[in-house]
């Protein structure tokens, strides 16, 4: 009671004090004060507790009224020296407008980024700037903001071109930007500095204050009461339900009040849940802590004195006021920046800005948001102080990140989230790398938080606790910061930048060394693995670092000196890593075909092997860059070529590839799904660029630097196939050792995988640095092979292509050159189809094909020629080696397995095509590449083995190789052509007539062969068609009567006669009644089956009555009055409608037919309505006739579709005979009196009942217009053509029950256009005793329980029916590729498709 009296007395006391208060006099007093901070603090100590926190229920309206008058107005008078409205207007008038837009985005507001001109994806424009810029005509990305960023319009570093919109275009007359303080008087500068210093320090002190019962010096209230708040703080650990339950027990509130408390705590970060004396609040605190500390850390609860809470509330208002004041002038903004960054007496990191940042994790969510917004509108909007702030941020980086990792709030509420505003600016990023060594700081900070490692120093995620896993998830944000720093490559290097970058590169190598070889696996033999090992954390780290590794290489490629030094460092790191990978490896010597090589004894199936090799793969990327930039050819003396050991380079990548092969062969089944998942992601588009692709490049590099025979022998050894191929009696050994079917299948699969790897090593050269290609060529080839599988939508192609750091695939540059686009219809998506001329690029063994993709592509592109790529001399030498030729021999004789033979033939074909291209390009210079000569020689082991060419000539007619016959013949023909070309080139270099004659002879043979095959195919088709015709004639003869009846029914003349000549005696078209028109006359029988008794029944006028079941429900499709509240479901009967038709009746049927008596038996009771007799009135005749016409039209349509009776010709023309035509069609007399007297016994009770009904009488007597027919059908609302207009509309929508808070999930009702706050506790409503969401409640008011909504931020249509049923539906907005974007993940501009929106409306009418 005492608290309530205090609440009533406070406003009156304040009112009297307010009447006596003068802001002008207070400011004048401050101007004369010798100790201004003390005077201001005394003023705040006096008035703040009188305005804020006066009782259990805060009064924001009272606070917002009094605080500006009593607290802010004196500050403004002091600052301006005159009336604030006048002084601030002068400042605004004299202010030179900034070229930076700086609009701070609200949650859900649309943002736009130009794919062509943006420096990186973080550069965005607000809607107004975008519409006034050149980028609206470019390819752009549209997304919704999470809040906190600002518009980059005017920032020249953010845009490659078009940095300004029309509004922010700089004035050409201004040669240079002046100091904003130049136009401000010294006195005003001093006053502004004084005010900003005092208020900012006051706000910082209060927001970082950690004492609950005391105040800073000078702010102690004159009167101190025993009034406290039990303040509950937000965390991201406890759920809504836990908090609601705890509050109900702790403060004895209702569930609705507890939901309100929880909502505000989640939104603002804290909320007082109890007000009273200390003991009263402490009791609530103990209950909350006790109930939430059983499984996790308890909720944070503090008992705070009301004066402390009051000053903290005003501190937030003060920061908001500062943000509003500095908008008037850039000079005020600069002064605030000076005050914020001014060092305190403690020295370094003692400024107010530093204090706020370092105490960020101690503040609640609302306080963080306010000061973050102030930083963005002040420090980040002034280029000079943005640089100084970035330096301070970098100095405190390690401490800030440590606090963030320990905190549990999302990153968007942490000051570390501001890193993108500085690190993504190229000039600032390079300055921070050079001066603050930022790159090294980020990497080392990241590594400091991952201390859990094995004995070899590798990261170990296997035994991670829940706390360590949580820490790992949060520390990944540091990788994002490193990505921002490396986003833009330098165009000019300085010695200091090189030094600091290479120092950061060293730190990055230390990180990769901790990943090299982590999570090793050993093949499980005998018993299945008991528990699946942890593998996701390592791959998550790999995926996060994928773009970082690529950007590191791009930075290296932009400077030759950096590239050389980085290559040296990476090679040294790899050598160091290999020294720890011994695992008891013993040296051995392999001998085969007269060649020998020294290597180590290692079996992948028996030893440890890891799929994580980032150091090896980084070296592979740098090695390719040396070739691409030609540094290796121009500066060979600067490279450590003598230190290169090709066997060492290929060893671990080869092990990883063989691990994949053995998994495919089924040798690792007992290791569970964790290994299968790792192999999947190893080849997946998200990881393969820096995993599988780099392993293949390393193999190609090693093959080009070592003896190819040695390379192949090492490959055989690692595949554990060397013992099969090395002996003289390899055929017998292969048969003897593979007597076991499982072993035989494993070895066959391993041989397939090995041959596939050889094919990839030799043929996959569409990578810059391996082949002479550009990135666009690589992208084009990827697209071609994807489209060789099947036509694909744009989004499918994007998912199949790797993205760069800017989330671009490069697809748009080449897609039109290789495909044709087919637009979608009302359903489906737009599809790209491969151009026919591009099918020749298809390669069955494309290295990014999975086995399923390869099978599909092979079936779709079986007859397409194989694609050849460019090559380097080192890889081509593989074709001239006896080992690879000897590998082909055993298996073309021992086992004619389809895949093996096909791979062997493909390899031979690749060699021949390579030789052909080599002859064409190097005919005059070098003809040493002679693959045909090699395959024409006998094998070296075993002795007297026939040559490959001889084997092919023998096998071309083998029955078991019928499927490969064409391929073998093509090989033999190609060999003959090559030999002919060599002979002709050698004998007659000046002339190519013999070559032409040979080509003509081959062409003639091909033509004759094709003609012979075509003739055989024609004869075969004719024979089949003759057989089919004979079978058809035989069938028709056997079923002559049936066909005769069908032909009569389908005869055009008969059907035409029946259509215009109904079978009624008076030849009138009647749709209902005993003279109803029937198709086909009386001889046509219609049989139906009763769904209840399953008895077949013929439909006859004198037969048993048949009925349909109907579902009757409320409907608002035709409603014009949506304000009427829903009817009570217990008393409302949907069969009867209110005269205003606010709720109509919709009847639908499933179409199942029943006997009338069967249906009656199935019903427990029947309801009948009584009829009362009264007499009718003749004077209503004309009114009734006019009113009944719309009903007759509807009835005619109903019976037309029900019974199929054709409409008479009079219906097709409008005229005076409509009444008579309708009555005749419905078998009714055209005279209403006749209708009445013929059915008087039935009509009189009906008419009397209607005329005496209270609703009808009330409607007739009131002045409201009566319902008229025909009723106009309702339509769902019109939507804007551009989806961003909807996003913009939703961004300004606030929750109606949360005090102006932005709605997290704004949802648009497509029936009435209302915007709702969905998927939140705040807007839950009680409906029929249950709590339902805003959308569900709205459906009962707007659509009789049925509703259709558009979830704006997810771009999804939502159908709801009742309280528990609903479904999602594709939105009517499509991008330029004919696809929807549910979830707005792709960001393509969306435009309304009218055809699809009409389909949505049709569905709404059906379900409503």
């Amino acid at each position: 009671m005492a608290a309530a009296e205090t609440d009533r007395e406070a406003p009156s006391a304040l009112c009297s004090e307010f009447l006596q208060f003068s802001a002008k006099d207070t400011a004048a007093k401050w101007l004369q004060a010798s100790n201004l901070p003390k005077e201001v603090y005394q003023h705040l100590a006096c008035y703040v507790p009188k305005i804020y926190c006066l009782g259990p229920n805060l009064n924001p309206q009272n606070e917002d009224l009094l605080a500006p008058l009593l607290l802010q107005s004196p500050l403004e008078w002091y600052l301006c020296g005159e009336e604030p409205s006048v002084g601030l207007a002068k400042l605004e008038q004299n202010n030179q407008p900034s070229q930076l837009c700086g609009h701070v985005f609200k949650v859900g507001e649309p943002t736009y980024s130009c794919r062509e001109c943006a420096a990186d994806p973080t550069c965005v424009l607000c809607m107004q700037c975008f519409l006034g810029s050149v980028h609206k005509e470019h390819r752009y990305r549209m997304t919704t903001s999470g809040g906190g960023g600002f518009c980059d319009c005017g920032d020249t570093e953010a845009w490659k071109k078009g940095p300004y919109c029309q509004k922010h275009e700089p004035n050409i007359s201004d040669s240079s930007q002046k100091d904003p303080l130049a136009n401000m008087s010294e006195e005003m500068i001093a006053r502004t500095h004084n005010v900003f210093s005092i208020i900012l320090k006051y706000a910082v002190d209060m927001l970082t204050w950690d004492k609950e019962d005391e105040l800073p010096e000078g702010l102690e209230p004159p009167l101190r009461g025993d009034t406290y708040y039990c303040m509950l703080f937000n965390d991201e650990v406890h759920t809504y339900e836990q908090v609601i339950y705890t509050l109900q027990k702790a403060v004895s509130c209702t569930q609705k009040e507890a939901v309100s408390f929880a909502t505000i705590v989640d939104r603002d970060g804290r909320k007082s849940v109890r007000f009273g004396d200390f003991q009263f609040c402490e009791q609530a605190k103990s209950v909350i802590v006790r109930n939430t500390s059983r499984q996790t850390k308890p909720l944070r609860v503090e008992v705070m004195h009301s004066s402390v809470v009051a000053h903290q509330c005003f501190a937030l208002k003060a920061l908001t006021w500062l943000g509003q004041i500095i908008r008037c002038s850039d000079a005020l903004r600069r002064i605030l920046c000076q005050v914020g960054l001014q060092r305190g007496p403690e020295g370094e990191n003692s400024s107010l800005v530093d204090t706020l940042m370092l105490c960020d994790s101690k503040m609640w969510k609302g306080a963080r948001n306010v000061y973050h917004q102030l930083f963005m509108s002040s420090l980040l909007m002034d280029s000079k102080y943005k640089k100084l702030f970035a330096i301070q941020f970098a100095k405190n980086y390690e401490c800030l990140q440590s606090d963030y990792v320990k905190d549990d709030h999302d990153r968007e509420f942490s000051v570390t989230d501001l890193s993108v505003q500085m690190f993504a600016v190229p000039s600032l990023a390079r300055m921070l790398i050079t001066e603050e060594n930022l790159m090294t700081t980020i990497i080392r900070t990241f590594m400091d938080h991952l201390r859990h490692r094995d004995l070899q120093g590798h990261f170990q995620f296997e035994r991670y606790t829940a706390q360590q896993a949580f820490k790992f998830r949060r520390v990944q944000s540091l990788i994002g910061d490193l990505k921002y720093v490396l986003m833009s490559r330098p165009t000019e290097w300085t010695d200091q930048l090189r030094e600091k970058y290479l120092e950061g590169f060293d730190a990055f190598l230390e990180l990769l060394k901790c990943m090299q070889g982590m999570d090793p696996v050993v093949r499980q033999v005998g018993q299945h693995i008991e528990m699946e090992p942890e593998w996701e954390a390592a791959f998550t780290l790999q995926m996060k670092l994928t773009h970082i590794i690529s950007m590191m290489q791009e930075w290296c490629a932009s400077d030759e000196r950096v590239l050389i030094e980085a290559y040296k460092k990476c090679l040294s790191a790899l050598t160091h890593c290999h020294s720890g990978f011994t695992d008891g490896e013993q040296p051995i010597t392999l001998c085969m075909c007269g060649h020998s090589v020294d290597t180590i004894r290692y079996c992948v199936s028996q030893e440890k092997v890891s799929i994580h090799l980032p150091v090896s793969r980084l070296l592979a990327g740098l090695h390719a860059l040396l070739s691409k930039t030609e540094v290796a050819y121009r500066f060979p003396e600067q490279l450590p070529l003598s230190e290169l050991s090709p066997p060492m380079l290929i060893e671990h990548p080869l092990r990883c590839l063989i691990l994949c092969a053995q998994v495919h062969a089924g040798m690792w089944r007992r290791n569970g799904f964790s290994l299968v998942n790792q192999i999947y992601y190893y080849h997946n588009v998200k990881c393969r660029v820096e995993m599988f692709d780099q392993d293949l490049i390393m193999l190609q590099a090693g093959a080009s630097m070592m003896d190819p025979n040695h390379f192949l022998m090492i490959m055989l050894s690692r595949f554990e196939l060397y013992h099969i191929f090395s002996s003289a009696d390899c055929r017998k050994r292969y048969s003897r050792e593979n007597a076991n079917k499982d072993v035989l299948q494993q070895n066959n699969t391993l041989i397939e995988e090995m041959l596939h790897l050889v094919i990839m090593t030799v043929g996959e050269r569409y990578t810059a640095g391996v082949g002479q290609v550009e990135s666009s060529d690589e992208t084009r080839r990827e697209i071609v092979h994807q489209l060789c599988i099947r036509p694909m939508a744009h989004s499918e192609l994007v998912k199949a292509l790797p993205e760069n750091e800017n989330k671009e695939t490069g697809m748009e540059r080449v897609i039109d050159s290789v495909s044709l686009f087919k637009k979608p219809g009302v359903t489906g998506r737009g599809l790209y189809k491969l151009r026919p001329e591009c099918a020749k690029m298809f390669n069955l063994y494309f290295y990014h094909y999975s086995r399923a993709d390869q099978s599909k592509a092979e079936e779709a592109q079986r007859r397409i020629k194989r694609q050849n790529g460019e090559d380097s001399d080192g890889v081509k030498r593989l074709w001239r080696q006896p080992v690879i030729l000897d590998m082909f021999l055993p298996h073309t004789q021992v086992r004619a397995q389809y895949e093996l033979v096909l791979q062997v033939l493909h390899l031979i074909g690749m060699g021949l095509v390579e030789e052909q291209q080599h002859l064409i390009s190097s005919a005059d210079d070098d003809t040493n590449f002679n693959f045909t000569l090699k395959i024409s020689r006998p094998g070296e082991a075993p002795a007297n083995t026939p040559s490959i060419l001889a084997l092919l000539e023998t096998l071309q007619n083998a029955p078991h190789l019928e499927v490969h016959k064409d391929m073998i013949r093509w090989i033999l023909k190609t060999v003959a052509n090559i030999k002919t070309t060599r002979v002709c080139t050698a004998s007659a270099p000046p002339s190519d007539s013999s070559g032409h004659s040979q080509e003509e002879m081959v062409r003639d043979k091909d033509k004759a062969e094709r003609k012979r095959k075509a003739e055989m195919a024609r004869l075969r088709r004719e024979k089949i068609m003759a057989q089919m015709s004979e079978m058809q004639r035989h069938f028709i003869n056997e079923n002559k009567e049936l066909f005769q009846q069908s032909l009569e029914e389908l005869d055009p003349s008969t059907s035409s006669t029946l259509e215009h000549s109904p079978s009624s005696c008076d030849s009138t078209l009647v749709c209902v009644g005993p003279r109803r028109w029937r198709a086909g006359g009386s001889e046509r029988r219609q049989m139906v089956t009763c769904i209840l008794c399953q008895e077949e029944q013929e439909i006859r006028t004198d037969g048993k009555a048949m009925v349909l079941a109907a579902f009757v429900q409320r409907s608002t499709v035709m409603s014009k009055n949506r304000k009427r509240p829903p009817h009570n479901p217990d008393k409302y009967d949907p069969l009867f409608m209110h005269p205003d038709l606010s709720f109509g009746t919709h009847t639908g049927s499933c179409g199942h037919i029943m006997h009338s008596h069967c249906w009656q038996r199935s019903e427990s009771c029947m309801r009948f309505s009584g009829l009362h007799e009264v007499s009718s009135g003749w004077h209503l005749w004309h009114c009734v006739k006019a009113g009944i016409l719309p009903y007759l039209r509807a009835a005619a349509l109903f019976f037309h579709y029900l019974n199929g009776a054709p409409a008479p010709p009079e219906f097709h023309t409008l005229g005076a005979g409509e009444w008579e035509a309708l009555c005749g069609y419905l078998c009714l007399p055209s005279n209403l009196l006749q209708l009445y007297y013929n059915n008087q016994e039935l009509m009189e009770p009906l008419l009397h009942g209607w005329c005496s009904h209270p609703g009808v009488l009330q409607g007739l007597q009131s002045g409201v217009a009566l319902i008229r027919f025909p009723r106009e059908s309702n339509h769902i609302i019109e939507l804007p053509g551009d989806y961003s207009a909807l996003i913009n509309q939703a961004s300004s929508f606030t929750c109606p029950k949360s005090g102006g808070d932005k709605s997290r999930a704004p949802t648009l009702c497509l029936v009435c256009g209302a915007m709702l706050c969905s998927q939140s506790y705040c807007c839950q409503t009680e409906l029929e005793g249950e709590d339902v969401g805003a959308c569900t409640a709205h459906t009962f008011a707007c659509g009789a329980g049925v509703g259709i909504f558009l979830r704006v931020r997810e771009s999804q249509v939502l159908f709801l029916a009742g309280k528990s049923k609903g479904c999602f539906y594709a939105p009517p907005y499509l991008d330029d590729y004919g696809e929807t974007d549910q979830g707005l993940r792709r960001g393509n501009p969306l435009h309304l498709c009218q055809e699809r929106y009409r389909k949505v409306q049709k569905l709404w009418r059906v379900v409503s």
Side-chain angles (χ1 to χ4, degrees), residues 113-119 123 125 133-139 152-165 169:
S113 178
C114 183
R115 298 177 187 265
E116 300 174 8
C117 307
C123 303
L125 297 174
S133 70
V134 298
H135 308 294
K136 66 180 180 181
E137 305 298 334
H138 300 170
R139 289 178 47 249
D152 292 303
C153 182
D155 186 352
T156 54
E157 286 194 82
W159 309 98
K160 300 172 185 175
K161 59 181 180 180
Y164 305 102
C165 69
E169 191 75 34

Side-chain angles (χ1 to χ4, degrees), residues 875-935:
V875 177
K876 282 191 295 187
R877 288 186 291 120
L878 279 170
W879 295 118
R880 300 194 288 267
Q881 309 312 316
V883 172
I884 194 170
L885 302 177
D886 192 66
M887 286 163 54
F888 297 161
L889 299 179
H891 293 280
T892 52
Q893 297 174 346
V894 174
R895 182 173 179 83
Q897 188 174 349
Y898 171 79
E899 185 63 30
L900 286 175
V901 175
L902 184 61
Q903 287 180 315
V904 170
L905 296 176
H906 185 85
L907 273 168
I908 296 172
M910 288 176 65
L912 294 174
V913 171
E914 194 73 49
E915 184 173 359
Q916 277 185 323
Q917 291 185 343
H918 193 72
L919 285 172
I920 294 172
S921 61
S922 307
D924 298 331
D925 302 325
D926 181 18
T927 57
N928 292 332
F929 188 80
N930 198 333
F931 183 68
T932 55
L933 179 62
K934 294 291 183 181
I935 64 175

Side-chain angles (χ1 to χ4, degrees), residues 560 563-564 567 622-639 641 644:
E560 294 173 348
L563 177 59
I564 293 172
Y567 186 81
L622 295 175
H623 192 90
L625 287 176
L626 290 175
S627 174
K628 178 183 177 181
T629 58
E630 299 183 351
V631 170
Y633 309 116
R634 291 186 286 114
F635 308 105
E637 69 282 355
Q638 299 184 25
L639 294 171
L641 300 179
L644 288 177

Side-chain angles (χ1 to χ4, degrees), residues 598-613:
D598 294 329
T599 181
I600 56 175
R601 186 186 302 278
Y602 181 88
C603 293
V604 175
S605 62
Q606 299 176 11
E607 307 288 345
K608 287 184 178 180
V609 60
S610 173
I611 206 168
H612 298 285
L613 306 168

Side-chain angles (χ1 to χ4, degrees), residues 8-22 47 50 62 66 70:
R8 286 195 297 268
E9 292 172 0
S12 60
L14 281 173
C15 287
S16 61
E17 195 164 355
F18 162 67
L19 293 174
Q20 301 173 5
F21 180 79
S22 171
Y47 283 101
K50 295 179 180 179
N62 212 30
L66 295 176
L70 300 178

Side-chain angles (χ1 to χ4, degrees), residues 710-736:
H710 297 171
F711 172 79
L712 294 169
M713 291 162 65
I714 291 175
M715 182 181 289
L716 283 171
S717 174
R718 296 297 175 265
F719 268 97
E720 301 174 30
L721 297 171
Y722 175 75
H723 63 286
I724 295 177
F725 290 90
S726 59
S727 61
D729 56 344
C730 60
R731 188 188 318 175
K732 295 179 181 179
R733 177 185 285 255
Y734 183 77
S735 301
R736 184 173 63 253

